[in-house]
Amino acid sequence: MSYSCTEKLWKPIIRPPRHYYQLKDLGNQITMVIDTVTKRTDFEIVNKRKLTLQCSLFEPVRVQDRQHSCMIYLHGNSSSRVEALTILEYLIPYNIAVCGIDLSGSGHSEGVYISLGYYESQDVQSLIDYLRDHKPYITQIGLWGRSMGSVTAILSASQNEDIKVLVCDSPFSNLTLLCKEIATFGYGVPGCCFDCFFCFVKSKIRKEANFNVDDLNVIQIIGNLSSQVSIAFLSANQDQLIPSKHAKQLHCFFKGTKLLKSFDGHHNSKRPNDVMKEVADFVISQLGKQQSDQPQSSRDTKLLLLHNQREKISFQYDEVHPIMTGGQISNNEQNITK
């Protein structure tokens, strides 16, 4: 079998088309989200594999110097941080920041291959470490992922007990099972031939991308998650890439607080507004619960002192709202919010 032929078997799994975009696709650095003045800050982090990753933090200006929560958005396998824009309107008005990241091998970030969650979960930890060090007013951090991003979220929660709130949109329950479904129903590969075929694929992926496909047995991982974690699961009824049964199985095996929302649509279709609102309500409620359950730390005390100092020289950001025009801010206000 020629290299060009065998490449078609494994490469789509770990090197799907990369999403190319321009920074202007992320919108203005100062903009309005519903009724909330929002600032976007772009920054870089370096992960454990020494790859430089591109990130964007969207924060309500009125809470930049006050304690607030943040949801990190984790995109799908052929996407980027631009996808984070889809949840801004559901969280920003409630003073919850949103941080988008181009995971390794995706978007503008470095990396040759993706790993469908295996190494991406390390990217998430590097991002959380950065936010803890550079954004002291961000307290609770949750994860909102879609497709590969939702699996990344589950793996991240299994590795970091501080992650307590997840949204998992279209996750797969087991990568080997998903590949078998795609090979059988998508490409007509007989079941009796799959094991031999997939043995080659796994070997090639291990050699090229240095991870074991068998480690992405998500249904086993989610069964071991702490019951203190809360997860909202989403699944599209007509999803032909990751059938809705995967999310339903994960929902069944997970023992913590949970929500399952199914809706008409496909893998990449726009999520219904009512579903997004209900999931956002779940996130807001669970973040609030985690915040109230958390004992005050020395870090909280330092933040309170810092806030009291800044309060003496700060102005009310809420007063900015009436002078917004056309979803943008005047030059004077841009100077104030920088």
Side-chain angles (χ1 to χ4, degrees), residues 21-54:
Y21 63 93
Q22 296 180 334
L23 275 180
K24 66 179 183 180
D25 297 326
L26 292 168
N28 298 325
Q29 287 192 311
I30 301 292
T31 190
M32 282 288 276
V33 177
I34 310 298
D35 61 349
T36 305
V37 186
T38 304
K39 181 179 180 181
R40 189 190 90 235
T41 304
D42 302 323
F43 60 95
E44 296 180 344
I45 63 172
V46 177
N47 68 8
K48 290 183 179 179
R49 295 184 292 155
K50 307 304 180 185
L51 298 174
T52 300
L53 311 180
Q54 304 299 322

Side-chain angles (χ1 to χ4, degrees), residues 213-233:
V213 169
D214 290 334
D215 288 335
L216 292 174
N217 185 7
V218 187
I219 199 163
Q220 181 179 44
I221 295 169
I222 205 167
N224 293 324
L225 279 187
S226 166
S227 59
Q228 295 181 1
V229 177
S230 304
I231 306 181
F233 296 90

Side-chain angles (χ1 to χ4, degrees), residues 235-240 243-244 248 262-266:
S235 66
N237 294 328
Q238 289 78 36
D239 192 333
Q240 296 181 334
S244 60
K248 292 175 181 176
S262 299
F263 50 88
D264 288 333
H266 300 277

Side-chain angles (χ1 to χ4, degrees), residues 54-77:
Q54 304 299 322
C55 310
S56 295
L57 177 64
F58 301 84
E59 278 187 299
V61 170
R62 62 186 175 222
V63 296
Q64 279 187 307
D65 64 346
R66 303 175 189 176
Q67 291 191 31
H68 59 281
S69 299
C70 177
M71 289 294 286
I72 295 174
Y73 188 90
L74 306 170
H75 58 75
N77 73 333

Side-chain angles (χ1 to χ4, degrees), residues 272-296:
N273 190 50
D274 60 328
V275 171
M276 293 292 282
K277 285 183 176 179
E278 187 170 349
V279 171
D281 287 344
F282 178 87
V283 168
I284 294 165
S285 170
Q286 295 306 310
L287 285 174
K289 179 177 180 296
Q290 295 298 335
Q291 184 71 34
S292 62
D293 289 347
Q294 197 174 57
Q296 188 181 56

